[in-house]
C-alpha cells in the first residue's frame, strides 16, 4: 500500500496559508488501526506514516517562516518566548482550570485507555461498563503546581470528556457533565496545599445530559449550564431554580444538519446582568431570570460558523469605565471554519482552509453591528486568552479542516497578539512560533505571573503516539509574552499592598501600593482577571476589568526624597460596584505600567 503526501509546488503571495494536500490511502489508514497479519508490513507502514508526519511538521514550520516574511499588515515584533516546562505530565490537557492557590487542575477522559501516570497508592478505577478499561490504575486528571513545576495524579471516577465548569465564589472548582457515565455528574475540587484534596463526585447533579455545553458563573454565585449535544435548553447548578431545565429554542435554530456548529456556545455575562450567547454565526441577549430573549444580533457577515466543530474562539474584551451609568461591552470572535468543512473533512477527507477573520461587536449599542477584521492567518481550534494588560493572545490550532477526531490539518505555530485599543488594520502582531503542533483538544490559560500555560492536543479516539500525523501530546509549555522580557524589567511594577489572598468588597476605594525600578508615566492601570475554565478553544468565565483610577501619587521616605532613590507609588482605584459587573470570587489583580503588567496577586471579591 502506498501513502503519498503531496506538498504544493508553489505558494501564492496573496495566500501564504495554502493547505498541504494530503492523499492518504484509506485502506492503509484502516490497516494501521487494526491488527495486521504481517507485522513487518505494519512496521513499514507505521514508519512511512511517521516520516510523513515529520515532513508535514517541517513543511508547516517552513510555511510559518514564509508567512512571517510575506504578511504585510502585521507588526513584526516577533516577541515572546517558549519554554518547555514538562515533557510528560501523564495526560493530555483537554481541560484546564487555574485555582487560587496557583495550582492548575487538568483532565482528559476516563475511557481513553491507560494514561502515562499511575494513580497513587496502587489505587485503580473499576468500571464494568467502560468500553476500553474495565479496570484502570492510571490517572486521567492531574494537579500542576506552578511554583514547583510538578504534577500529582488525581482520581476522577466518571467520564469527564468534553465537559464544562467554573470556580465558585469560595474558590472551589465545580465541573459538570461529560459522556456516558459522566453525563449527569457534577464534580467538585477544593484547593489545598497539603496534596490531600481530590475530586468529589455528585451523582445526578444535573437534570439533563451535558456534553459539549458551556458554563458561566452568575452574580449570585450559582452556575448556569447551557446547551450540549442534543440539549436545546439550560439549567442551573446547584438545582435551586424551579423549573430547573428551561428551553432555549435559539440553540435548535443554530444547529446545522449533519454538523451542529452550535456546541460549546460562547457565553458572557453582560454589564446589565443578562447573558450574551453566541452559537454558530449569531447571538442573542438572554434574560435568564425571565427566560426572555431581549435582543437578537445579526449574523456575522459571510454567515460561516464559528462554533464547534467549526471551532473558532471568543472573548469579552476588557470592561472599562465601570462607574458609568451604561458600561460598554464588546465581544470579539475569531477564526472558525467555512460551513460544510466538518462534512468535507469527515466524509471526503477534504480539508478546507479555515477562516481568517475576526468579528467584533458592541453588544449594548442600540443597533449593534459586527465589524469584520482580517487576521494574519487562518485559524481553527485556536485559543483566545486575555492578558493582564488587556491584549488578547491567539494561540494553538490549525489552518485547515475542522475540530473532531483526525479532521484538523496545517498546525498554526505562530501566536498572534490582538491589541484592541489600536486602530483598525494595526491591531495584530505576530509573535515567535512554537515547534509543537497544538491541534484538537489543546488548551491555554493565563497564570498569575503573566505567562500563558499551553498544553494538550489529542485528535485521536485514544492515546496515540506513533503512526499518526499529530501524536497525542503530553507536554506542558509556557509562552512568555514580550512584556516579560528582561528589557522591560525596570518598568515592571511590584505590588506591595494589598497582600495576596486579601478580601475586597464591592464599590470600595482601594489603595494599591507598588514599586517600580524605572519610570512611571502615562495612566497606570489596575486590572482584575477572573480565571477561566478552558476547553475546546473556549475560556469560560474569562473576564478582565479595568478599575476606575481615582488618583496616582508617588510616595517617598525622607531618605528617598534626599537621594532620589524612592520609586514607591500608590494608586487609588474603585472596585466594581456590583456582582453584575464582576461576579463574586477570586480574581488576579495586576498593576500595569506602560503596558507592562506586574505579577498578579489574588484578591477575593465579595
Amino acid at each position: 500500500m502506498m501513502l503519498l503526501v503531496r506538498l504544493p509546488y508553489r505558494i501564492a503571495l496573496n495566500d501564504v496559508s495554502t493547505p498541504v494536500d494530503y492523499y492518504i490511502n484509506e485502506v492503509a489508514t484502516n490497516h494501521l488501526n487494526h491488527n495486521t497479519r504481517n507485522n513487518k508490513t505494519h512496521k513499514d507502514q507505521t514508519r512511512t506514516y511517521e516520516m510523513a508526519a515529520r515532513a508535514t511538521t517541517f513543511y508547516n514550520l517552513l510555511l510559518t517562516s514564509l508567512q512571517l516574511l510575506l504578511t504585510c499588515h502585521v507588526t513584526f515584533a516577533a516577541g515572546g518566548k517558549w519554554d518547555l516546562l514538562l515533557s510528560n505530565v501523564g495526560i493530555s490537557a483537554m481541560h484546564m482550570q487555574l485555582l487560587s492557590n496557583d495550582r492548575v487542575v487538568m483532565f482528559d477522559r476516563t475511557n481513553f485507555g491507560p494514561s502515562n501516570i499511575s494513580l497513587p497508592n496502587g489505587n485503580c478505577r473499576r468500571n464494568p461498563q467502560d468500553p476500553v478499561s474495565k479496570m484502570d490504575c492510571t490517572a486521567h486528571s492531574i494537579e500542576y503546581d506552578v511554583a514547583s513545576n510538578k504534577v500529582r495524579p488525581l482520581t476522577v471516577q466518571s467520564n469527564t470528556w468534553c465537559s464544562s465548569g467554573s470556580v465558585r465564589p469560595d474558590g472551589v472548582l465545580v465541573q459538570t457533565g461529560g459522556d456516558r457515565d459522566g453525563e449527569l455528574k457534577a464534580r467538585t475540587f477544593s484547593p489545598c496545599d497539603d496534596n490531600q484534596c481530590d475530586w468529589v463526585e455528585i451523582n445526578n447533579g444535573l437534570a439533563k445530559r451535558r456534553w459539549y455545553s458551556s458554563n458561566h458563573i452568575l452574580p449570585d454565585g450559582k452556575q448556569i449550564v447551557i446547551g450540549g449535544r442534543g440539549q436545546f435548553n439550560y439549567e442551573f447548578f446547584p438545582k435551586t431554580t424551579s423549573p430547573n431545565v428551561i428551553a432555549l429554542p435559539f440553540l435548535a435554530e443554530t444547529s446545522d444538519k449533519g454538523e451542529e456548529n452550535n456546541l460549546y456556545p460562547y457565553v458572557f455575562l453582560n454589564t446589565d446582568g443578562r447573558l450574551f450567547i453566541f452559537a454558530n454565526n449569531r447571538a442573542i441577549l438572554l434574560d435568564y431570570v425571565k427566560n426572555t430573549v431581549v435582543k437578537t444580533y445579526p449574523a456575522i457577515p459571510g454567515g460561516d460558523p464559528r462554533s464547534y466543530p467549526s471551532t473558532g474562539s471568543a472573548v469579552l474584551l476588557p470592561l472599562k469605565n465601570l462607574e458609568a451609568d451604561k458600561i460598554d461591552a464588546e465581544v470579539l470572535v475569531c477564526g472558525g471554519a467555512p460551513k460544510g468543512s466538518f462534512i468535507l473533512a469527515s466524509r471526503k477527507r477534504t480539508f478546507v482552509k479555515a477562516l481568517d477573520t475576526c468579528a467584533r461587536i458592541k453588544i449594548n449599542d442600540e443597533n449593534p453591528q459586527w465589524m469584520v477584521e482580517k487576521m494574519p492567518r487562518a485559524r481553527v481550534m485556536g485559543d483566545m486568552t486575555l492578558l493582564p494588560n488587556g491584549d488578547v493572545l491567539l494561540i494553538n490550532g490549525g489552518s485547515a479542516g475542522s475540530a473532531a477526531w483526525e479532521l484538523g490539518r496545517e498546525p498554526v505555530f505562530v501566536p498572534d497578539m490582538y491589541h484592541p485599543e489600536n486602530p483598525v488594520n494595526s491591531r495584530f502582531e505576530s509573535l515567535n512560533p512554537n515547534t509543537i503542533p497544538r491541534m484538537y483538544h489543546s488548551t491555554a490559560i493565563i497564570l498569575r505571573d503573566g505567562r500563558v500555560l499551553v498544553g494538550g492536543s489529542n485528535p485521536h479516539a485514544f492515546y496515540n503516539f506513533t503512526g499518526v500525523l499529530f501524536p497525542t501530546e503530553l507536554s506542558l509549555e509556557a509562552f512568555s509574552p514580550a512584556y516579560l522580557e528582561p528589557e522591560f524589567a525596570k518598568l515592571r511594577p511590584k505590588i506591595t499592598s494589598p497582600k495576596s489572598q486579601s478580601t475586597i468588597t464591592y464599590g470600595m476605594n482601594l489603595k494599591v501600593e507598588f514599586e517600580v525600578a524605572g519610570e512611571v508615566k502615562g495612566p497606570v492601570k489596575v486590572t482584575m482577571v477572573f480565571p477561566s475554565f478552558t476547553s475546546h478553544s473556549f475560556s469560560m468565565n474569562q473576564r478582565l476589568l479595568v478599575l476606575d483610577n481615582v488618583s496616582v501619587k508617588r510616595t517617598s521616605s525622607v531618605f528617598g526624597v534626599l537621594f532620589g532613590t524612592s520609586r514607591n507609588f500608590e494608586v487609588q482605584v474603585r472596585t466594581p460596584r456590583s456582582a453584575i459587573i464582576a461576579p463574586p470570587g477570586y480574581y488576579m489583580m495586576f498593576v500595569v505600567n506602560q503596558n507592562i503588567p506586574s505579577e498578579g496577586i489574588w484578591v477575593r471579591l465579595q
Side-chain angles (χ1 to χ4, degrees):
M1 301 175 195
M2 183 169 60
L3 174 71
L4 174 64
V5 178
R6 188 181 73 186
L7 305 185
Y9 66 93
R10 64 182 179 86
I11 301 174
L13 292 180
N14 63 348
D15 184 11
V16 296
S17 56
T18 304
V20 179
D21 294 325
Y22 291 92
Y23 293 89
I24 300 176
N25 189 299
E26 289 294 334
V27 178
T29 303
N30 293 332
H31 184 79
L32 290 173
N33 290 333
H34 296 84
N35 290 331
T36 176
R37 287 182 251 181
N38 188 322
N39 190 48
K40 182 179 183 300
T41 302
H42 175 75
K43 289 181 178 179
D44 288 344
Q45 290 167 341
T46 301
R47 281 196 296 268
T48 304
Y49 223 132
E50 290 171 342
M51 289 173 64
R54 288 193 292 269
T56 302
T57 300
F58 172 79
Y59 169 83
N60 285 317
L61 287 170
L62 177 62
L63 185 59
T64 293
S65 301
L66 289 172
Q67 286 176 323
L68 287 172
L69 288 171
L70 298 175
T71 307
C72 300
H73 62 284
V74 181
T75 303
F76 294 100
K81 184 183 74 166
W82 288 91
D83 292 296
L84 179 65
L85 301 176
L86 293 168
S87 60
N88 186 345
V89 298
I91 68 167
S92 189
M94 187 188 298
H95 313 76
M96 275 193 192
Q97 173 71 63
L98 173 67
L99 301 176
S100 58
N101 61 350
D102 291 320
R103 301 192 183 190
V104 182
V105 173
M106 308 175 195
F107 51 95
D108 47 27
R109 51 183 278 210
T110 57
N111 61 351
F112 259 174
S115 73
N116 272 227
I117 185 170
S118 298
L119 287 169
N121 305 317
N123 294 334
C124 297
R125 171 183 175 270
R126 293 172 175 82
N127 184 353
Q129 306 304 317
D130 193 305
V132 179
S133 301
K134 309 301 182 187
M135 185 173 75
D136 189 352
C137 302
T138 62
H140 293 277
S141 178
I142 60 168
E143 181 190 62
Y144 171 68
D145 187 331
V146 176
S148 67
N149 195 38
K150 294 180 179 178
V151 301
R152 71 178 180 98
L154 302 175
T155 305
V156 62
Q157 295 291 343
S158 55
N159 197 351
T160 52
W161 181 25
C162 302
S163 54
S164 51
S166 179
V167 175
R168 284 189 334 209
D170 61 358
V172 173
L173 170 59
V174 176
Q175 186 273 326
T176 53
D179 187 31
R180 298 178 183 266
D181 63 343
E183 61 190 19
L184 295 175
K185 293 284 185 77
R187 306 165 191 85
T188 62
F189 185 89
S190 300
C192 68
D193 295 322
D194 60 3
N195 293 336
Q196 297 302 306
C197 46
D198 211 333
W199 286 103
V200 175
E201 307 232 348
I202 303 170
N203 292 327
N204 298 313
L206 299 172
K208 292 289 185 180
R209 176 182 189 250
R210 298 295 171 187
W211 194 31
Y212 297 90
S213 59
S214 293
N215 290 24
H216 205 295
I217 189 76
L218 297 174
D220 62 2
K222 300 183 183 71
Q223 291 189 38
I224 189 169
V225 188
I226 300 176
R229 179 154 285 169
Q231 298 297 336
F232 308 132
N233 52 59
Y234 60 90
E235 64 178 284
F236 299 90
F237 183 86
K239 299 177 185 176
T240 55
T241 304
S242 182
N244 196 57
V245 178
I246 302 170
L248 187 58
F250 169 73
L251 294 177
E253 295 163 5
T254 52
S255 181
D256 290 339
K257 185 177 180 180
E259 291 186 279
E260 295 175 291
N261 286 330
N262 68 339
L263 302 178
Y264 277 120
Y266 307 141
V267 182
F268 303 107
L269 178 66
N270 193 14
T271 54
D272 61 3
R274 295 155 174 162
L275 291 174
F276 177 90
I277 303 175
F278 180 100
N280 199 311
N281 57 17
R282 54 197 186 275
I284 59 171
L285 191 63
L286 175 72
D287 185 332
Y288 62 88
V289 176
K290 299 179 181 178
N291 189 31
T292 302
V293 175
V294 297
K295 185 180 290 186
T296 299
Y297 298 91
I300 292 178
D304 285 316
R306 310 276 180 155
S307 302
Y308 183 93
S310 299
T311 304
S313 190
V315 294
L316 176 68
L317 291 175
L319 297 174
K320 301 174 295 182
N321 302 318
L322 304 183
E323 292 296 301
D325 292 335
K326 183 180 179 181
I327 302 172
D328 289 334
E330 286 188 85
V331 169
L332 180 71
V333 180
C334 291
K339 189 170 183 178
S341 294
F342 172 79
I343 293 175
L344 286 171
S346 58
R347 298 180 186 176
K348 299 185 177 181
R349 312 306 292 171
T350 298
F351 305 103
V352 178
K353 178 184 174 182
L355 300 178
D356 61 359
T357 56
C358 292
R360 181 169 167 172
I361 191 169
K362 294 182 177 181
I363 65 177
N364 290 329
D365 278 5
E366 292 298 322
N367 182 30
Q369 299 294 321
W370 293 98
M371 181 190 70
V372 178
E373 302 177 71
K374 187 90 165 176
M375 294 194 296
R377 69 205 84 254
R379 195 184 296 262
V380 62
M381 303 176 291
D383 286 281
M384 294 174 69
T385 303
L386 288 170
L387 301 183
N389 60 4
D391 290 337
V392 183
L393 180 69
L394 287 77
I395 200 166
N396 298 338
S399 61
S402 81
W405 290 335
E406 318 294 346
L407 301 188
R409 294 293 187 271
E410 294 286 326
V412 178
F413 295 101
V414 176
D416 292 308
M417 193 75 78
Y418 181 85
H419 303 284
E421 299 297 320
N422 284 6
V424 178
N425 296 326
S426 63
R427 289 174 174 160
F428 285 100
E429 175 186 353
S430 291
L431 307 177
N432 281 327
N434 189 9
T435 58
I436 299 176
R438 299 287 182 182
M439 301 294 281
Y440 185 45
H441 291 147
S442 298
T443 46
I445 60 168
I446 187 70
L447 298 176
R448 187 171 58 86
D449 59 18
R451 294 178 299 162
V452 177
L453 192 67
V454 179
S457 186
N458 188 13
H460 316 296
F462 306 103
Y463 293 107
N464 205 336
F465 303 102
T466 59
V468 290
L469 287 174
F470 308 116
T472 301
E473 189 56 62
L474 305 182
S475 67
L476 195 64
E477 296 178 282
F479 178 73
S480 298
Y483 55 59
L484 291 174
E485 292 176 3
E487 63 183 285
F488 300 119
K490 289 188 175 182
L491 300 179
R492 187 169 301 115
K494 179 182 178 181
I495 299 175
T496 56
S497 179
K499 298 300 183 183
S500 198
Q501 303 294 329
S502 295
T503 297
I504 60 176
T505 57
Y506 288 100
M508 68 178 288
N509 288 326
L510 178 67
K511 181 173 70 174
V512 180
E513 298 177 349
F514 62 96
E515 57 186 37
V516 178
E519 186 179 11
V520 173
K521 68 177 183 180
V524 172
K525 294 191 299 186
V526 177
T527 62
M528 291 172 54
V529 180
F530 197 93
S532 65
F533 179 98
T534 300
S535 185
H536 289 75
S537 301
F538 182 46
S539 294
M540 304 173 202
N541 310 288
Q542 187 172 216
R543 196 176 193 85
L544 188 150
L545 304 109
V546 181
L547 302 188
D548 283 0
N549 190 334
V550 178
S551 65
V552 182
K553 68 177 182 180
R554 182 171 179 174
T555 58
S556 305
S557 64
V558 174
F559 180 87
V561 172
L562 290 174
F563 294 96
T565 59
S566 175
R567 290 178 288 271
N568 298 318
F569 296 83
E570 70 175 42
V571 55
Q572 293 274 353
V573 293
R574 187 81 171 167
T575 61
R577 63 175 181 248
S578 76
I580 289 175
I581 299 170
Y586 283 90
Y587 289 76
M588 292 174 280
M589 178 177 283
F590 301 87
V591 172
V592 182
N593 172 39
Q594 300 182 59
N595 217 37
I596 307 300
S598 67
E599 181 174 284
I601 62 169
W602 286 106
V603 295
R604 184 176 181 182
L605 178 62
Q606 62 182 25

